[in-house]
Every structure is written in structure tokens, then in C-alpha cells.
Amino acid sequence: MAVKFYNFLIRKKETFKSLRPKQVGFYACGPTVYDYAHIGNLRTYIFEDILKRTLEYNGYKVNLVVNITDVEDKIIRESQKTGKSISDFVKPYEKAFFEDLKKLNIEKAWKYPKATKHIKDMIKLIAALLKNGLAYETGGSVYFDISKFKSYGKLSGLSARSGSAFGGKNQSRIDSDEYDKTSAEDFVLWKVAKNNEPLWDAPFGKGRPGWHIECSAMSMKYLGNTFDIHGGAVDLIFPHHENEIAQSEGATGKTFVKYFIEGEHLSVNGEKMSKSLGNIFNLRDLEAKKFDPLAFRYLSLTAHYRSKLNFTWESLQASQNALEKLREAIIEIKNEQKQHSDILENVRVLKKHLSKEFEKYINDDLDMPRALALLWEIVKSEKLNPKTKYNLIIDFDKVLGLNLGKIKSEKIPVIVLKLVKEREKCRQEKNFTKSDELRKKIESLGWLIDDSPSGPKLKKN
Ligand code: AMP
Ligand code: ZN
């Protein structure tokens, strides 16, 4: 079945075609480790995990590279406040990042390259840009000359909106790593050494890399000059991803990335997360309020990745309740499947149909809300037998990643199963006195029976 994604480069959905048969090179902008990841960052990492799992579900081998930004403006500023070296300062946040991924059941990426270990690759790339006449040196720093790169703005559409900033006349420059402007400027590739800042030797003088060059260097080192997918959230479209394209294509002359897939933001109580509003939460804050990290994963699945997700404590509670209900239902299904095992032909046909439905939803630009609704339909179905239900749930969880295969159910003793069967026979023969006696016996062994339309259900008393 074809997989379709919304490619931000062309601003529409298109069928995904990998550069190499059944292999995907995927780069996702990782954390800037100056603090714990907030729940907005985590929403994006979950969306990228779903994207990877969906491709794997479709038989692709995915080489996912997630960088760790361990040197840039914010890290330097914050580490200086503590008086620690940047490597000591970032260590606990880097460790916390990996702990968060595990708690959210985010699968491991192929590589997690660190910026400080790839300075040579960045210097090489800057040298190529200087050689190609797309960069210039001034005051010991090196800048990218956006007027020389004709397709600057092709991702963000900014060139079309701010034409006056282009055409060779613009020589205004920007030194900060992050900026949010409606007109573009030449941006810094290498920053001249300043007091107390970490620095490295380079042919253009001592200094440190700009943030954008880090991602161009690390992505191409591991995935090649051209690769399939680049991911992140919408805040990175401009300037970060736009600048990555300019740097990479300017240096190699080749297309950098085929598909830019960008997730929408998470907001809190309808507002942007910010320190001044005191609404920046991380996974530890959620856990302190006794929430299961997977309840946050569940919440993330309830909204399409290209829609805004408004976080409230109530919505997280609702997700936690739903996840608990789901787990309870799965325990019941697991118990029931030991009692009924035969699969009828009509169930087989229905199972195939439901699997196709699931594939259709996930392959339609990751429509997780519909995939989740289908999962519930299966859990509640009266037409499917427990074994089929369980197999479908476990299969879907390869993509949903809610750890549904790891739910522990009580082992039903053989004697209880035998008594249940005997009681069913009595009921069919309308021997209700005997069947009541057997019910009492089963209860005395610690199990309750519920006679549902699809057969008896057992629950630990
Ligand atoms: P950072 O650590 O700031 O470099 O961001 C890591 C990832 O989180 C990037 O892909 C960002 O685009 C993404 N991100 C930042 N803020 C939000 C937000 N409010 N909602 C969703 N994703 C975000
Ligand atoms: Zn990046």
C-alpha cells in the first residue's frame, strides 16, 4: 500500500518514494541540551517515532539520525551562569533526554551524533561554501551570503514574501542562532572567538560553529548528500531548516532532502509555552503528579501531528483513564482467548479488512486519531473472537507504541478453566442449579464470572 506524507517543500501530500529500495534515511533535529525536554519537544519526538514505526510497518529499514546539540548560544549562556564547563553542564540533560525516550517507548535511533564531536565536518562544509562563493569572512566570522543562493526561501516561502531582502542588495547579517524574522539576512556559519566561549581552531580563525551548520554537517555525514526525510516541528522551518538547505545544497550542488515533514506545536491551556507564563512542563512534572508517561504518548496520538495539540491537565487525565481502560480490556481479552480459540472463516475475512483499514489510516499522512479509534472498535467488537482481537491489537501497537504487549494478566488456573467449561455445558443444558453451584465454586477460588453476549468473562475477585 502506498504511504503518503505531507511534504512541506511542496506543501501537499504526496506518495513516499525512497531513494533506495526499502531503505530510508531520516534526520530529525534533536534536543538542545540546556534544560530538560519540555512536553512540546516530547510531542515532536513521539511524532517522529510514529513516522519511523509507520515506515517500518511498511517494510522499510529506517536509518534515523537524531543529533544532540551540545554547543550553541543558549547552552553557552546557561552554562556560564552555573560556572560549569559546557560538557559538565549538558551531561544531566543529555541523560534525561534518553530516559524520557525510554519512558515514552520511543524506539532507539540509529545514531545520536553530538555537535562537539563533529566540528571538523562543519569546518569542511564552511570551507566548501567559501570556495563556492556562497560565504564570506568578516571580522573573523564567516557568513552565508543568501543573495548568492538563488533558491533561498524555497521551504519557508520567505523569499516570495520579502523580495526586498533579496537580490544581492541585502548584506545585513545575523549572529544569533535563533531568530524569527519576516525578512531573511545573511546568517553566521562560524562565530569569531569571544571571551569565555568554547572555541576550536579553523582555517578562518579560532571560533565556534553556528547552530544551523551543525545539522547540515551531521545529517550528510551519516545519510549522504541527499537523503529521504528531514523532520522537526514548525518552529524550525525558518530559519533553521531553510538555512540547512542553503548550506547543504550550496556546498554539494545536490538536492539535500526529498521530504520535509514538520509537526505542529503543543500549547498549554491555549497559550504558547513560556517561562513568563510558568507553563513549561517536562516529563518529571507529569510524573510528580502521578501520571504515566505513556498517558502523554496516548494524548499525542489523539491529535494529528499537523494539528495543534492543546495540553491541559484534564486532557492528560482523560488519556490516562482511556489507557487504563484499554489495559483492563486487554487483560480480559487475554484471559478470554484461553477459553475460546477457534477462528471462523468470517472472522478471518474481517481481520484482514481491519488490518487494511489500519494501514490505510497510518499510511495517510499518519492519521493516528483514526488508527486509535479503530483500535477501540476492535477492543469493543462483538464479532471478533478474543484471539483475533489480541493479535490485531499487538500488531497495531508496533506503530502506536503503547506497550500493549507487555500488560501482565493474571494466570487463570487450569482448574478454574475446567470449571468454567463445565458450567457453560450446564447452562446450555439449562441445568441452572448445577451452573450456580459451579459459579460459587469458581468464586471460592478467587474468580468472578460475567456472562456476556460473547461468552463468559473471567475477572480476578
Ligand atoms: P530544541 O531542543 O528547542 O532544539 O527542540 C527540539 C524539538 O522540539 C524540535 O524539533 C523543535 O521543533 C520541537 N519543538 C520546540 N517547541 C515545540 C512545541 N511547543 N511543540 C512541539 N514541538 C516543539
Ligand atoms: Zn537541526
Side-chain angles (χ1 to χ4, degrees):
M1 193 185 286
V3 188
K4 283 190 174 172
F5 295 129
Y6 185 91
N7 185 358
F8 210 87
L9 275 168
I10 55 165
R11 307 229 175 174
K12 60 178 183 206
K13 265 195 239 177
E14 64 173 336
T15 299
F16 175 74
K17 285 197 192 92
S18 59
L19 288 161
R20 280 190 276 166
K22 287 287 163 194
Q23 269 209 47
V24 179
F26 175 13
Y27 184 86
C29 290
T32 306
V33 279
Y34 71 105
D35 200 348
Y36 295 114
H38 59 59
I39 53 176
N41 304 138
L42 299 177
R43 179 196 186 191
T44 297
Y45 303 144
I46 292 169
F47 131 64
E48 288 158 347
D49 182 53
I50 297 284
L51 173 50
K52 172 175 173 279
R53 285 169 179 261
T54 296
L55 288 163
E56 286 168 348
Y57 192 85
N58 281 276
Y60 290 95
K61 179 175 185 305
V62 182
N63 290 325
L64 172 63
V65 177
V66 177
N67 71 296
I68 310 275
T69 298
D70 58 354
V71 56
E72 58 77 85
D73 294 352
K74 287 196 292 284
I75 292 178
I76 292 170
R77 197 181 59 222
E78 295 303 313
S79 67
Q80 281 175 347
K81 283 187 199 162
T82 65
K84 288 184 186 168
S85 69
I86 60 164
S87 68
D88 282 347
F89 174 74
V90 302
K91 226 172 255 163
Y93 300 122
E94 200 186 316
K95 185 167 166 265
F97 166 69
F98 288 107
E99 284 166 4
D100 289 355
L101 296 190
K102 200 157 177 227
K103 286 178 187 165
L104 292 166
N105 202 23
I106 291 174
E107 288 179 342
K108 267 197 162 288
W110 174 49
K111 300 235 179 252
Y112 293 101
K114 284 189 201 175
T116 50
K117 300 271 182 288
H118 294 78
I119 306 288
K120 274 193 189 143
D121 301 289
M122 297 169 203
I123 292 173
K124 256 200 237 159
L125 207 54
I126 298 170
L129 289 169
L130 282 165
K131 188 167 162 258
N132 292 352
L134 289 163
Y136 57 91
E137 297 180 60
T138 175
S141 292
V142 184
Y143 295 88
F144 189 96
D145 184 346
I146 58 169
S147 70
K148 300 271 169 58
F149 186 69
K150 295 298 167 236
S151 50
Y152 192 84
K154 74 174 173 184
L155 181 71
S156 59
L158 198 64
S159 59
R161 287 206 305 270
S162 60
S164 63
F166 294 83
K169 290 176 214 89
N170 176 52
Q171 283 289 313
S172 71
R173 287 184 285 271
I174 190 126
D175 285 300
S176 58
D177 282 333
E178 282 185 83
Y179 50 95
D180 184 15
K181 299 217 166 195
T182 46
S183 67
E185 288 171 88
D186 291 355
F187 59 91
V188 71
L189 299 167
W190 188 257
K191 303 189 187 201
V192 67
K194 278 195 201 139
N195 274 348
N196 301 328
E197 286 195 355
L199 53 89
W200 287 265
D201 281 321
F204 11 90
K206 282 186 195 308
R208 64 175 172 101
W211 170 41
H212 312 295
I213 199 76
E214 297 183 5
C215 280
S216 280
M218 289 186 275
S219 59
M220 293 198 293
K221 169 150 187 166
Y222 296 103
L223 299 171
N225 291 345
T226 306
F227 57 91
D228 299 283
I229 299 176
H230 195 315
V234 287
D235 57 306
L236 296 187
I237 294 167
F238 184 83
H240 187 53
H241 291 167
E242 191 70 69
N243 291 353
E244 278 187 57
I245 297 174
Q247 296 162 149
S248 299
E249 299 192 354
T252 68
K254 299 198 174 103
T255 300
F256 176 42
V257 168
K258 275 184 78 183
Y259 304 86
F260 268 91
I261 307 181
E262 316 273 14
E264 247 306 340
H265 267 186
L266 173 142
S267 54
V268 174
N269 285 323
E271 285 167 319
K272 197 177 169 209
M273 270 186 283
S274 77
K275 280 214 170 107
S276 57
L277 290 170
N279 64 358
I280 305 183
F281 302 119
N282 61 47
L283 206 55
R284 278 144 201 83
D285 299 322
L286 271 50
E287 286 178 298
K289 288 186 184 261
K290 303 273 172 270
F291 284 104
D292 178 341
L294 289 177
F296 181 71
R297 185 175 177 110
Y298 187 101
L299 176 65
S300 301
L301 293 172
T302 62
H304 190 269
Y305 79 92
R306 283 195 293 112
S307 305
K308 285 205 170 69
L309 171 60
N310 184 29
F311 175 89
T312 60
W313 292 106
E314 291 74 28
S315 64
L316 184 61
Q317 185 62 57
S319 290
Q320 174 126 322
N321 296 347
L323 184 59
E324 270 161 21
K325 258 197 197 152
L326 187 59
R327 286 173 177 156
E328 275 168 26
I330 292 170
I331 289 177
E332 259 185 40
I333 293 167
K334 268 177 98 169
N335 287 338
E336 284 169 42
Q337 62 167 345
K338 289 173 193 144
Q339 299 161 52
H340 328 260
S341 56
D342 38 323
I343 300 177
L344 303 171
E345 186 50 31
N346 60 344
V347 171
R348 213 164 266 146
V349 172
L350 183 56
K351 183 183 180 200
K352 214 170 166 186
H353 166 74
L354 292 165
S355 287
K356 283 266 160 267
E357 286 289 292
F358 181 74
E359 256 182 80
K360 191 173 87 189
Y361 297 151
I362 61 169
N363 288 354
D364 181 15
D365 197 28
L366 312 175
D367 195 343
M368 291 304 135
R370 291 182 84 181
L372 200 55
L374 182 69
L375 179 80
W376 274 108
E377 214 179 281
I378 287 162
V379 168
K380 292 182 178 160
S381 165
E382 301 272 322
K383 292 186 194 134
L384 292 166
N385 65 346
K387 200 179 182 69
T388 311
K389 278 189 186 187
Y390 190 69
N391 289 345
L392 282 170
I393 293 165
I394 297 307
D395 184 54
F396 292 3
D397 198 49
K398 286 179 195 157
V399 178
L400 303 173
L402 292 168
N403 245 341
L404 302 177
K406 299 238 171 85
I407 303 167
K408 294 229 171 10
S409 63
E410 290 281 350
K411 206 167 160 31
I412 309 172
V414 180
I415 173 75
V416 174
L417 290 173
K418 246 168 101 181
L419 292 171
V420 171
K421 265 197 181 152
E422 209 181 308
R423 179 174 170 271
E424 265 312 279
K425 199 162 158 266
C426 294
R427 272 162 52 84
Q428 272 158 24
E429 288 162 0
K430 305 215 180 313
N431 183 351
F432 296 114
T433 323
K434 182 89 204 281
S435 89
D436 271 356
E437 262 172 39
L438 286 166
R439 173 199 282 276
K440 283 197 186 115
K441 209 163 175 187
I442 292 164
E443 280 177 4
S444 73
L445 291 169
W447 293 83
L448 291 178
I449 279 202
D450 173 23
D451 293 309
S452 78
S454 56
K457 290 185 174 174
L458 277 172
K459 220 178 176 180
K460 194 91 177 80
N461 197 350

